[in-house]
Amino acid sequence: MRKTVTIAIAFLMGFANLALAQNASDDNDGSKWQFRLRGIVVTPDESADIEAIGGDVDISTAFVPELDISYFFDENWSVELILATAKHDVEAVGTAAGDIDLGHVWLLPPTLTGQYHFTGSDFVPYLGAGVNLTLFYGVDEGPVADDVEYDTALGFALQGGFDFMLNDKWFLNLDVKKLFLNTRATVDATTALGATVDADVDINPWIFGFGVGVKL
């Protein structure tokens, strides 16, 4: 975890220095705020290493709204904060004890990306990369486990998409993100199995979004 945090901080500092340098060299130093509202599909690309009982994990797809806020250093460089929360059903599958319903959990994964926008027309593609912090809350442990806990996770994000300008202010947006997200889950199944089981879980969701945005 310490190594991951160090890499994340180094990435953000490096991008900030690059963006500020770009901004300082640009004649147009007027910054812009940009807001998007998307509908997103969160599709986990999940796998798990479950101690003692083996097996794997199945995590459901979620459909939720997403708000993002962007700040432009200049015409091309920006940072974007992505805000959304989603509920996912969780099941341990193929274990020595069979398939185990682990209820559901809410994920709050604020994500900060640095982006480069390819300007010059009404069609504006962009690429981005950044860091993600995922908080787990609202856990329902299901009918079998006595309790389920998930560790807060720090991960990375890659992003690509485009804006299509309708006029100088409003635009449509299509966006794809890949989060590299891992957590440690602790399942207290003392009543059912007489044991507490730990699992190393890769969630690694794909996030597909479509929406509308505005420049202010």
Side-chain angles (χ1 to χ4, degrees):
M1 176 63 75
R2 183 176 300 172
K3 182 178 179 181
T4 303
V5 172
T6 301
I7 294 172
I9 292 173
F11 165 81
L12 290 176
M13 291 180 64
F15 179 80
N17 288 335
L18 178 62
L20 289 172
Q22 178 77 12
N23 188 42
S25 65
D26 200 301
D27 291 334
N28 180 14
D29 61 357
S31 62
K32 286 185 179 179
W33 290 97
Q34 184 169 285
F35 298 84
R36 298 187 187 93
L37 181 63
R38 302 185 183 106
I40 61 172
V41 180
V42 184
T43 304
D45 183 15
E46 71 272 42
S47 64
D49 181 10
I50 305 175
E51 296 179 359
I53 62 174
D56 208 337
V57 67
D58 182 71
I59 303 174
S60 67
T61 295
F63 305 87
V64 297
E66 177 194 86
L67 173 68
D68 74 66
I69 304 169
S70 297
Y71 177 80
F72 280 74
F73 295 96
D74 61 22
E75 183 180 35
N76 301 107
W77 291 98
S78 71
V79 289
E80 178 183 79
L81 178 63
I82 302 157
L83 302 170
T85 187
K87 184 177 80 170
H88 296 272
D89 297 326
V90 183
E91 184 178 18
V93 296
T95 76
D99 294 346
I100 304 172
D101 182 357
L102 296 177
H104 65 254
V105 59
W106 285 84
L107 275 64
L108 178 64
T111 303
L112 183 67
T113 61
Q115 298 176 339
Y116 184 83
H117 301 255
F118 299 86
T119 58
S121 71
D122 290 338
F123 177 73
V124 186
Y126 58 85
L127 295 174
V131 292
N132 161 265
L133 179 69
T134 297
L135 308 173
F136 299 84
Y137 71 99
V139 179
D140 179 340
E141 66 275 1
V144 177
D146 300 310
D147 187 37
V148 181
E149 295 182 358
Y150 300 89
D151 291 347
T152 298
L154 179 67
F156 298 96
L158 296 177
Q159 181 183 33
F162 67 84
D163 296 323
F164 182 77
M165 303 305 301
L166 301 175
N167 53 44
D168 290 341
K169 187 173 183 179
W170 293 93
F171 57 91
L172 300 177
N173 173 257
L174 181 67
D175 184 86
V176 179
K177 290 183 284 291
K178 175 68 171 181
L179 303 187
F180 298 91
L181 173 61
N182 172 273
T183 185
R184 187 76 172 174
T186 302
V187 181
D188 182 353
T190 304
T191 299
L193 304 177
T196 295
V197 177
D198 290 330
D200 188 61
V201 182
D202 290 323
I203 303 175
N204 296 343
W206 286 95
I207 303 174
F208 304 94
F210 178 76
V212 62
V214 62
K215 292 183 177 183
L216 298 179

